[in-house]
Amino acid sequence: MPRGLRSRVLVWTLAILVAIALPAAGVFIWLVDSTVIKLGTLFAEKQILFDRYRGLDSLMREVSLAETVARSPAILEWAKDEADPAKAQRGLAELEHYRISFKDQSYFVVLDGSGNYYFNDKDNTYEHARRRYTLSRENPRDGWYYKTVALASGCHLNVDHDDTLNVTKVWINCIIRQGDRVLGIIGTGVDLSQFIREVVDIPQTGVQSMFVDRNGAVQAHRNPKLVDFHSLTKDTKAKTTIFTLLDDQADRSALAAMMEQVAAGGALVRSRFMQIEGHQALVGVGYLDRLGWFNVTIMDVDEIIDRRMFLPIGLLLAAMLLAAAALSTLLFKRSVLDRLARMEADVQRVQAGRFDEVASDAADDEIGRFSRALGAMAKAVGHNTDRLEEMVADRTRELERLAHHDPLTGIFNRRGFERAFEAEQNRARRASRPMALLLIDIDHFKPVNDDHGHQAGDQVIIEVVARLEGLMRNYDVCGRWGGDEFIVLLAETSLPALTAVAAKLGAATRDRPVSLGAGFSLPITVSIGACLVAQADTLADAAGHADTALYAAKQGGRDGFVIHEAPSRAGAALAPVGRG
C-alpha cells in the first residue's frame, strides 16, 4: 500500500481530532461556566435564606418581647398618666421585670406626653435615676423618635449611637399605642458589635453578608466603617447605602427592583450578577419583613467554586478523545489499509500471469466482496461481452428508429413513411382493401418563421401533428413529407370516408388557433390534397396524384381540400375544393 494514503489518513485523523477538540473545548468551558453560575445562584439563594433566618432568630425574640412590653396594661396606664406616682411605680416595675429578659438586659422608654426618656442597663446603673433626659423637637439627635412616632404603629430598627448614653446599638423601637393614640416608644438595644459577630461576621470564603434598611442604608456589616449610623434621621443623600458599592447605574436600578420584589412578596430571594469594584459578583437579596430590613449577600463565585475542580474531567475527556483517535487509526489500518495492500499485491500477480496465487478475502464487507469480485473477474468478462452485444443491438435499434422518424414530431420521416407504405400496401393487396393518401401543407408557413421565429414555427408543426394524430386511427400512418408538409396513409377507406377525414383535418387546424405562449395565439389553416390509392400505384404515383390535388387546393384559395378522383375515359379529374 502506498505510504501516501497512510499519511493522508493520519493527517485527516489529526485534522478531524482538532476540528472536534476545538468546539468541544469551547462547549466544555461554556458548560463549566454555566454550571458555576447555576451552582453560585443556588448557593446565593441558600445563603440568603440562611442569613434571613439567622438574622430573624437573633432579633425576633427581642422584637416580640418589646412588643409584649408595649402592650402591657401597666405601661399603657403609666404612659397615659405619667404624673401619677403609683402608675409610674407600676410602669417602672414592669420595665424592670422585662429588663432581665432582654438579651442586652437593658430597656428604654419615651413617653409622648412629656418627652421624657427613661433608660436602665444590665448593671442596673440607673436604678434611682432612670429618667435620663427629655427629648426636644429642636434637637436633631432626637429626630429618630419623632420619625418613628410618625409611623404610628409596629416595631422598627435603627442603628444608632446614643450620644447621651454613649452606646452604639441596633435599637428596637416599638410604638406604644392605644387605639389611634400614640403614647410613646419602648424598646431595647442589641450591642452592634455582638450582633455583627453573631450574624454578619461569620467567616465564609468569598461571601460577604450585610443588612440594609428600606432605603438601602447599611445597618450591619463586618466593616464598621460602612455602617450608616443615625440613618433614621439622616438626609438620604448623606447615607451610606448598598448602592454606593455598585459600579454601574444599571446594577443599582436592578438592585432596587430586586428589593422591591422581595419586599412585596413576589419572591423569597432574588439574585443577579453585578459589577462591584471592577469585579463580577453575585448579589442576592432577601427581606426580613418583621424587621423591615433586607439581608444582602455578595458572593465571589470564583472563590466559592474553584474551577480547577473541573480540570480532571477536562483531562479525562481529552484523554478519551485521543485514545478514540488512536484506536480508530489502528482499526482503520488493520481493517482497510493492510487489506488493500494485499489486494494490490494480488493485482500485480494477475498482471504477471500468476492467477493461481490470487488469494480471496473471506470477510463479508466491501473490501472482502471486492477481493472476491477480483477473482471472479475473468468469468464475468464473458458475461459482460454478451451484455455489450445486447447493448449494441439496442443501440442499433435506436439508431434505426432515429433514421426513420422525424426528431421534432416523432412521426415517420420520408424514409420511414416509404417503408410503412410498402408494408401497408402489401396488406391491402392481400385483403383487397382500398387505401387513401393525403398531402397536408400548412398555409402561409414561411411568414410564421419570419415573423415569430423558428421556435414558433416548430411549435406550430408540433401542434398540427398532434391534431392530425388525434383524428387518426391506430392503424393509419402519418409522416413528415417536407418542412411544413405532412403525408397521411388511411387504410381501409372509401371516397366518402376520405372526404370526411379531409374535412375534419381542415377543421381541426382552423377552429382553434395555436398558442405560442405569453397569451399570444396564431390562427392556422392547412391545404389538403387527397386521392384513393390503386393497388398498382407506387408511393410516387399516389403522392403525385395527391400533390396535384394539393396544388389545386392552394390555387383555390387555400384552407380547403381537393380529392383527385380515379381516371375516367375523359382522363383524371379533381373533385371541387371542399372545407370542413
Side-chain angles (χ1 to χ4, degrees):
M1 194 69 188
R3 292 185 178 180
L5 183 56
R6 284 197 178 94
S7 301
R8 286 195 295 273
V9 169
L10 179 59
V11 169
W12 276 109
T13 301
L14 293 175
I16 293 172
L17 178 63
V18 172
I20 295 174
L22 290 178
V27 171
F28 179 76
I29 293 173
W30 176 79
L31 287 174
V32 169
D33 290 341
S34 300
T35 303
V36 168
I37 291 173
K38 184 64 177 178
L39 291 176
T41 303
L42 292 174
F43 182 83
E45 294 176 355
K46 299 300 181 184
Q47 183 67 34
I48 288 292
L49 294 176
F50 174 66
D51 290 343
R52 170 190 175 89
Y53 293 111
R54 184 174 56 185
L56 283 173
D57 183 63
S58 178
L59 293 176
M60 282 312 301
R61 177 183 175 277
E62 303 299 297
V63 172
S64 298
L65 195 58
E67 285 179 330
T68 302
V69 179
R71 292 192 298 267
S72 169
I75 297 298
L76 293 174
E77 290 298 322
W78 177 38
K80 288 189 293 183
D81 190 7
E82 182 183 2
D84 187 326
K87 293 179 180 179
Q89 184 177 3
R90 285 195 298 273
L92 291 171
E94 187 79 355
L95 287 174
E96 285 299 319
H97 173 74
Y98 278 99
R99 177 178 65 82
I100 58 176
S101 299
F102 285 122
K103 185 175 183 178
D104 191 58
Q105 294 186 1
S106 67
Y107 66 83
F108 74 88
V109 62
V110 180
L111 300 182
D112 194 69
S114 63
N116 290 332
Y117 183 98
Y118 295 84
F119 176 79
N120 200 2
D121 59 16
K122 64 179 180 180
D123 298 325
N124 199 22
T125 305
Y126 306 103
E127 179 182 4
H128 302 295
R130 281 174 280 188
R131 183 169 68 84
R132 303 305 305 147
Y133 59 92
T134 301
L135 276 65
S136 171
R137 289 185 180 273
E138 284 72 30
N139 186 356
R141 292 296 298 116
D142 296 336
W144 67 270
Y145 172 76
Y146 299 103
K147 288 193 175 182
T148 303
V149 166
L151 299 174
S153 64
C155 293
H156 307 276
L157 275 68
N158 182 36
V159 177
D160 203 355
H161 178 79
D162 192 309
D163 297 330
T164 304
L165 301 177
N166 196 28
V167 291
T168 301
K169 294 186 177 183
V170 179
W171 296 99
I172 300 171
N173 306 319
C174 293
I175 297 175
I176 306 172
R177 177 189 180 94
Q178 189 172 49
D180 295 332
R181 182 183 175 188
V182 174
L183 302 176
I185 292 179
I186 194 170
T188 185
V190 176
D191 182 78
L192 180 62
S193 300
Q194 181 181 358
F195 177 78
I196 290 175
R197 284 195 305 271
E198 292 179 354
V199 179
V200 179
D201 197 20
I202 295 179
Q204 289 179 277
T205 302
V207 179
Q208 184 181 146
S209 298
M210 67 184 76
F211 290 84
V212 303
D213 64 13
R214 277 188 166 273
N215 295 317
V218 179
Q219 301 295 288
H221 195 284
R222 67 176 62 174
N223 183 0
K225 295 180 180 179
L226 295 179
V227 177
D228 187 72
F229 298 108
H230 315 303
S231 62
L232 193 61
T233 56
K234 269 186 183 179
D235 182 78
T236 303
K237 294 181 180 179
K239 293 182 179 181
T240 303
T241 67
I242 180 67
F243 303 108
T244 60
L245 302 179
L246 303 177
D247 298 346
D248 187 67
Q249 180 59 40
D251 288 341
R252 298 186 190 107
S253 300
L255 178 58
M258 290 161 57
M259 292 170 65
E260 290 180 5
Q261 289 174 0
V262 296
L268 194 61
V269 177
R270 279 283 184 265
S271 60
R272 171 180 166 150
F273 279 90
M274 299 183 181
Q275 199 75 11
I276 300 177
E277 296 181 353
H279 184 70
Q280 195 80 353
L282 184 62
V283 179
V285 179
Y287 183 58
L288 285 69
D289 50 350
R290 295 289 302 277
L291 307 179
W293 278 6
F294 296 92
N295 56 309
V296 180
T297 302
I298 300 175
M299 284 164 286
D300 187 338
V301 176
D302 290 334
E303 289 191 21
I304 297 173
I305 303 175
D306 190 355
R307 294 173 186 268
R308 290 176 297 181
M309 68 180 181
F310 295 98
L311 182 60
I313 300 176
L315 293 176
L316 176 61
L317 292 176
M320 292 172 62
L321 188 60
L322 289 173
L327 182 60
S328 299
T329 303
L330 179 61
L331 291 175
F332 185 79
K333 177 181 178 299
R334 296 189 60 181
S335 61
V336 177
L337 298 180
D338 291 348
R339 294 167 65 194
L340 288 177
R342 290 193 291 270
M343 285 185 62
E344 184 181 20
D346 288 340
V347 171
Q348 292 173 353
R349 294 188 187 97
V350 170
Q351 291 175 341
R354 303 197 306 270
F355 301 102
D356 55 340
E357 298 180 15
V358 175
S360 179
D361 192 324
D364 189 19
D365 56 15
E366 289 81 356
I367 296 179
R369 290 192 292 269
F370 185 66
S371 175
R372 291 190 293 274
L374 180 63
M377 187 181 298
K379 295 180 181 178
V381 169
H383 299 296
N384 290 338
T385 300
D386 294 339
R387 290 180 58 196
L388 285 174
E389 290 177 352
E390 184 179 347
M391 291 172 62
V392 169
D394 291 341
R395 183 60 178 165
T396 300
R397 287 191 292 270
E398 177 65 16
L399 293 174
E400 181 73 11
R401 188 189 68 80
L402 293 175
H404 292 88
H405 287 77
D406 177 51
L408 177 63
T409 61
I411 62 177
F412 284 120
N413 58 17
R414 183 183 288 262
R415 182 183 303 170
F417 187 83
E418 290 174 350
R419 191 165 65 172
F421 180 87
E422 291 177 2
E424 186 61 32
Q425 190 177 47
N426 289 334
R427 283 193 293 271
R429 287 170 180 169
R430 288 193 299 269
S432 298
R433 295 172 180 172
M435 298 189 305
L437 192 72
L438 298 91
L439 273 179
I440 305 165
D441 185 76
I442 301 175
D443 295 331
H444 307 296
F445 183 73
K446 186 176 185 300
V448 174
N449 283 331
D450 295 341
D451 297 341
H452 304 286
H454 288 281
Q455 185 175 0
D458 290 346
Q459 286 183 258
V460 169
I461 290 173
I462 293 171
E463 180 62 23
V464 168
V465 169
R467 296 182 188 184
L468 293 179
E469 289 185 322
L471 295 174
M472 292 169 54
R473 298 165 297 184
N474 292 336
Y475 45 82
D476 294 333
V477 180
C478 180
R480 188 172 180 184
W481 199 242
D484 60 336
E485 196 172 44
F486 308 94
I487 189 166
V488 174
L489 178 63
L490 301 178
E492 301 180 21
T493 190
S494 61
L495 184 60
L498 175 60
T499 303
V501 170
K504 290 180 180 179
L505 292 177
T509 55
R510 178 189 319 108
D511 294 346
R512 184 159 49 92
V514 176
S515 175
L516 299 180
F520 178 73
S521 59
L522 189 68
I524 295 296
T525 61
V526 295
S527 297
I528 303 173
C531 69
L532 291 174
V533 181
Q535 290 186 0
D537 286 345
T538 63
L539 177 58
D541 296 333
H545 299 323
D547 190 57
T548 300
L550 175 62
Y551 180 76
K554 291 183 178 181
Q555 290 294 329
R558 302 179 186 273
D559 187 19
F561 63 89
V562 172
I563 297 177
H564 184 279
E565 295 183 354
S568 64
R569 278 178 258 170
L574 297 175
V577 174
R579 289 180 174 82

